[in-house]
């Protein structure tokens, strides 16, 4: 069975040595002293390692079962969910007035990574609830907040998001679910939704569905979509649960992975719902949840790569296979361990350099969310909006690739279920699809986010990179060569791609859109390079200051050098593809494929 160890030391390094959270002028960050954050991360790590990780294989092999309209979760899930709930973890970064602990998003993100690495399918139950609660917090009336949030923040009640229908996925303007207004101000919803994660289960006393539907007579397409709160059980005026609502599970989807999460077909047969936000403004309200979910899904891609890497590393150290070509390293044994071989080292370094860079990227993104929400920093809000499709698309694509690399380290044993490595790959695969497939993320980045606010935010990103390079150049020749020069070259590639879109995208939009996927990956590499430049500088500074753990910081520098030398040159390849334009992409008629 695979194992998992929470990487709390690396998280502490990013929070305090790289991001300097205590020194940032964001309300609440002054409390994030190293001892305080260490205590939180260590406790979360114990729960992840000792309780959630052992249930990961259980969830995968047992899955969920549907019995008489009730979904039964895998053995041990309910007890573990109770333990998570009792510890107050679901409300870690939610407002105190609704029972949360009001900690910054950056702490919630670090804890969320550990929970997701240890058991992604399980963690989705509380993650979806958090997103639904955030949507109600942002768009609900005071009465709705008071009715639903205390129990959702605690996860006594859980939440879902209901978008997709059998005939419409990305194009939500095609939806058919109807919401008929009633005399008492409620609505009656009729329709079917599919792919609903955590749509029904046995771990909470109520499930609060957020459902997109159309009010008859509204505008056509996406402009006519509204969002509704549809509880599994109607909530009475005194807060107690009343009658069962007319919403039921049609079936549980048979999936490639995340078997421990109940992905359901949901049938609404005249169910009572309550408008959340304004009529015909449903996408605005739902995007509060979807944007949060996209950042969470990016974290899922990285988290599965982390868990898979940990197990591949352990296997590579233990498995004896062949001899080191430069001389045997295990003379008393029949062979040397796998880790002596350069190709295994390459694979492990790919994984390690990605995971650690991605972790820093995620936590940096979380500080922007905190700045936007806690300091009303519009520039931070604009920058994280620009980077959201990069976080979601790049980290899930790369995260999936890293789970495959980890599986490959095992050779044939990676393909055998006994070792459990395929679960990381199967679970990670969905992250590239849901909450907006990655191709859609790339289109959003190039087609909408680059030009947002007149291109202000992408220019701010380039200025941020340029300023970092300028402020840190000339202090150490080796650091300049290994970190700053590659970052500068990659940033120039990214700017050149943006310039190509500007010069060629207007006369033929396909010139931009056919290069959007490459651009998303190029952007991701530059972001991770910026993180590695910062981590390399922090490691150098710690060594110069006489840090006791020299091996940790020297390893950090070596890993960063690897990323800059072996991964970052991909930006040149992506630029070449982008500049080739749309002609070869669009050359064939549909009939000739």
């Amino acid at each position: 069975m695979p194992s998992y160890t929470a990487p709390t030391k690396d998280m502490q390094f990013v929070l305090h040595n790289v991001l300097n959270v205590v020194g940032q002028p964001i309300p609440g960050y002054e409390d994030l002293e190293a001892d305080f954050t260490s205590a939180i991360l260590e406790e979360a790590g114990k729960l992840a390692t000792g309780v959630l990780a052992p249930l990961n294989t259980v969830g995968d092999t047992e899955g969920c079962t549907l019995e008489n309209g009730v979904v039964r979760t895998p053995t041990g899930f309910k007890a573990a969910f109770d333990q998570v709930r009792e510890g107050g973890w679901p409300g870690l970064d939610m407002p105190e007035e609704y029972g949360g602990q009001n900690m910054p998003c950056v702490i919630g993100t670090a804890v969320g990574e550990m929970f997701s690495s240890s058991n992604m399918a399980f963690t989705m139950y509380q993650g979806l609830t958090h997103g639904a609660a955030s949507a109600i917090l942002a768009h609900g009336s005071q009465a709705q907040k008071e009715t639903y949030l205390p129990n959702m923040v605690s996860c006594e009640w859980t939440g879902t998001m209901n978008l997709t229908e059998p005939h419409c996925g990305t194009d939500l303007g095609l939806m058919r679910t109807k919401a008929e207004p009633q005399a008492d101000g409620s609505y009656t919803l009729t329709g079917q939704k599919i792919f609903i994660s955590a749509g029904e289960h046995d771990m909470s006393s109520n499930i609060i569905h957020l459902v997109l539907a159309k009010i008859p007579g509204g505008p056509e397409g996406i402009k006519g979509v509204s969002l509704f709160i549809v509880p599994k059980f109607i909530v009475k005026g005194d807060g107690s649960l009343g009658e069962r609502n007319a919403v039921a599970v049609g079936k549980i989807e048979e999936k490639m992975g995340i078997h421990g999460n109940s992905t359901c077909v949901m049938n609404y047969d005249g169910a009572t719902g309550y408008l959340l936000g304004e009529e015909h403004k449903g996408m605005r309200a739902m995007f509060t949840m979807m944007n949060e979910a996209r950042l969470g899904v990016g974290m899922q891609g990285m988290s599965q790569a982390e868990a898979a890497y940990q197990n591949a590393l352990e296997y590579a150290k233990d498995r004896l296979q062949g001899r080191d070509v430069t001389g045997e390293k295990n003379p008393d044994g029949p062979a040397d361990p796998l880790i002596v071989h350069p190709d295994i080292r390459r694979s492990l370094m790919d994984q390690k350099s990605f995971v650690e860079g991605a972790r820093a990227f995620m936590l940096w993104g979380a500080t922007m969310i905190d700045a936007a929400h806690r300091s009303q920093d519009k520039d931070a809000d604009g920058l994280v909006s620009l980077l959201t499709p990069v976080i979601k698309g790049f980290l899930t694509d790369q995260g999936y690739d890293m789970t495959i690399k980890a599986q490959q380290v095992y050779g044939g044993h990676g393909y055998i279920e006994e070792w459990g490595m395929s679960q990381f790959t199967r679970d990670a695969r969905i992250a590239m699809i849901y909450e907006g497939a990655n191709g859609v993320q790339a289109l959003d980045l190039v087609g909408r986010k680059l030009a947002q606010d007149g291109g202000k935010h992408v220019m701010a990103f380039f200025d941020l990179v340029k300023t970092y390079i300028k402020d840190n150049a000339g202090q150490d020749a080796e650091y300049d060569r290994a970190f700053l020069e590659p970052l500068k070259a990659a940033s120039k590639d990214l700017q050149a791609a943006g310039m190509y879109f500007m010069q060629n995208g207007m006369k033929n939009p396909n010139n931009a859109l056919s290069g959007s996927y490459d651009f998303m990956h190029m952007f991701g590499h530059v972001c991770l390079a910026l993180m590695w430049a910062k981590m390399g500088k922090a490691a150098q500074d710690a060594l110069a200051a006489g840090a006791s753990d020299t091996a940790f910081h020297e390893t950090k520098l070596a890993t960063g050098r690897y990323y800059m030398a072996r991964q970052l040159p991909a930006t040149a390849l992506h630029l070449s593809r982008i500049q080739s334009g749309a002609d070869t992409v669009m050359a064939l008629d549909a009939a000739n494929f």
Side-chain angles (χ1 to χ4, degrees):
M1 179 185 294
S3 61
Y4 171 71
T5 301
T8 54
K9 184 172 185 178
D10 199 56
M11 291 177 174
Q12 284 285 91
F13 171 76
V14 175
L15 289 173
H16 298 287
N17 294 58
V18 180
L19 299 177
N20 185 27
V21 288
V22 176
Q24 291 202 38
I26 300 173
Y29 273 43
E30 67 277 4
D31 297 327
L32 301 182
E33 296 287 349
D35 288 346
F36 179 64
T37 58
S38 176
I40 295 170
L41 298 181
E42 291 298 330
E43 283 303 308
K46 289 177 185 176
L47 184 60
T49 299
V51 177
L52 304 187
L55 294 175
N56 199 36
T57 301
V58 176
D60 187 52
T61 54
E62 287 189 16
C64 297
T65 56
L66 178 60
E67 301 173 0
N68 300 319
V70 176
V71 172
R72 305 295 179 193
T73 50
T75 302
F77 269 44
K78 192 174 189 306
F81 201 71
D82 288 342
Q83 202 166 337
V84 169
R85 186 161 44 207
E86 288 161 8
W89 296 106
L92 190 67
D93 56 358
M94 295 298 280
E96 288 180 292
E97 63 184 302
Y98 300 113
Q101 299 178 51
N102 201 37
M103 290 191 188
C105 175
V106 71
I107 299 300
T109 299
V111 170
E113 181 205 322
M114 290 187 277
F115 287 175
S116 185
S117 288
S118 61
N119 197 324
M120 176 175 157
F122 175 92
T123 302
M124 288 171 63
Y125 290 97
Q126 69 222 47
L128 287 157
T129 305
H130 190 287
S134 295
I136 294 173
L137 183 65
H139 302 284
S141 66
Q142 189 59 37
Q144 287 173 334
K145 294 176 189 177
E146 292 171 358
T147 298
Y148 298 104
L149 288 183
N151 282 310
M152 293 180 74
V153 167
S154 68
C155 269
E156 290 296 329
W157 300 348
T158 55
T160 71
M161 57 193 298
N162 286 231
L163 293 81
T164 307
E165 298 182 8
H167 58 282
C168 78
T170 300
D171 191 353
L172 293 170
L174 298 176
M175 73 174 56
R176 296 172 184 160
T177 301
K178 291 192 306 181
E180 299 275 0
Q182 304 299 301
D184 63 358
S186 68
Y187 291 77
T188 298
L189 275 77
T190 304
Q192 185 180 78
K193 298 289 184 176
I194 63 172
F195 306 157
I196 308 307
S197 301
E200 168 63 30
H201 57 86
D202 57 359
M203 299 195 299
S204 64
S205 58
N206 202 5
I207 301 175
I208 310 304
H209 302 287
L210 298 191
V211 185
L212 286 177
K214 289 185 174 181
I215 301 170
E220 291 295 318
I222 200 68
K223 294 182 178 179
V225 173
S226 301
L227 183 61
F228 299 88
I229 298 172
V230 185
K232 175 181 174 180
F233 290 98
I234 300 296
V235 182
K236 297 179 180 178
D238 62 0
S240 63
L241 299 184
E243 63 184 18
R244 174 70 187 259
N245 208 349
V247 52
V249 183
K251 69 170 184 175
I252 300 177
E253 304 282 11
E254 294 288 335
K255 309 187 297 294
M256 177 179 175
I258 54 169
H259 296 150
N261 195 271
S262 52
T263 307
C264 301
V265 173
M266 304 298 298
N267 295 320
Y268 294 86
D269 188 16
T272 299
Y274 309 95
L275 184 68
L276 178 59
E278 302 176 48
E279 284 190 0
H280 316 310
K281 303 288 186 183
M283 290 308 298
R284 177 171 170 266
M286 183 59 89
F287 264 108
T288 297
M289 185 173 186
M290 286 181 69
N291 283 332
E292 179 178 312
R294 285 171 178 171
L295 295 169
V297 170
M299 180 175 65
Q300 287 180 341
M302 180 263 288
S303 73
Q304 296 312 288
E306 166 68 34
Y309 164 70
Q310 287 189 18
N311 287 277
L313 175 61
E314 183 178 351
Y315 187 83
K317 289 179 176 179
D318 292 341
R319 175 75 167 177
L320 301 182
Q321 203 82 176
R323 287 295 188 186
D324 187 338
V325 295
T326 63
E328 60 186 32
K329 296 297 188 289
N330 181 33
D332 296 329
D336 290 331
L338 278 173
I339 201 167
V340 306
H341 303 300
D343 193 60
I344 296 293
R345 291 290 188 101
R346 173 199 57 80
S347 175
L348 292 172
M349 287 297 285
D350 281 349
Q351 296 167 55
K352 179 178 175 64
S353 64
F354 166 74
V355 165
E356 293 179 14
R359 174 175 298 120
F361 186 22
M362 280 295 311
L363 292 174
W364 178 47
T367 65
M368 291 182 235
I369 294 172
D370 282 327
H373 291 174
R374 290 171 172 254
S375 302
Q376 288 72 54
D377 185 334
K378 295 189 183 302
D379 290 337
D381 189 47
L383 186 55
V384 78
S385 177
L386 169 71
L387 295 178
T388 293
V390 182
I391 292 172
K392 196 281 183 184
F394 180 71
L395 296 192
T396 58
D397 275 355
Q398 292 289 102
Y400 175 74
D401 286 348
M402 296 307 154
T403 67
I404 293 174
K405 289 178 186 288
Q407 190 181 27
Q408 188 78 6
V409 169
Y410 281 70
H413 290 294
Y415 199 66
I416 302 300
E417 291 297 334
E418 176 187 352
W419 290 85
M421 291 303 290
S422 79
Q423 184 185 353
F424 299 123
T425 297
R426 290 184 286 103
D427 286 358
R429 185 63 184 88
I430 185 57
M432 301 161 70
I433 299 172
Y434 60 13
E435 307 307 339
N438 285 358
V440 176
Q441 300 301 317
L443 295 178
D444 177 51
L445 174 64
V446 171
R448 197 163 68 90
K449 296 296 177 63
L450 287 185
Q452 197 169 34
D453 296 328
K456 172 183 177 182
H457 307 300
V458 72
M459 294 309 299
F461 176 81
F462 289 134
D463 285 344
L464 188 153
V465 173
K466 188 184 300 182
T467 299
Y468 179 82
I469 293 171
K470 180 181 177 182
D471 290 349
N472 292 279
Q475 300 172 27
D476 182 278
E478 169 58 21
Y479 176 75
D480 288 0
R481 184 197 64 78
F483 289 92
L484 297 187
E485 290 173 14
L487 174 60
K488 184 176 182 179
S491 180
K492 285 185 175 180
D493 285 343
L494 187 63
Q495 292 178 66
M499 186 62 67
Y500 175 84
F501 292 153
M502 289 178 62
Q503 293 172 346
N504 297 275
M506 292 297 290
K507 55 187 176 184
N508 181 4
N510 284 337
N511 280 325
L513 299 184
S514 64
S516 61
Y517 214 94
D518 282 285
F519 187 80
M520 180 178 72
H521 274 253
M522 182 189 290
F523 212 144
H525 278 299
V526 174
C527 288
L528 260 64
L530 176 62
M531 294 298 99
W532 271 117
K534 291 188 173 189
M535 288 190 285
K537 183 69 165 58
Q540 274 195 341
D541 290 347
L543 289 169
S548 58
D549 193 348
T550 56
F552 174 87
H553 296 99
E554 288 172 352
T555 299
K556 188 66 68 176
L557 279 164
T559 307
R561 291 189 199 103
Y562 178 90
Y563 191 88
M564 302 307 247
R566 299 283 299 217
Q567 293 295 314
L568 192 56
T571 61
L573 170 64
H574 290 303
L575 177 60
S576 180
R577 288 174 175 168
I578 288 168
Q579 291 176 335
S580 72
D583 289 348
T584 56
V585 175
M586 306 302 292
L588 293 182
D589 291 334
N592 294 332
F593 274 88

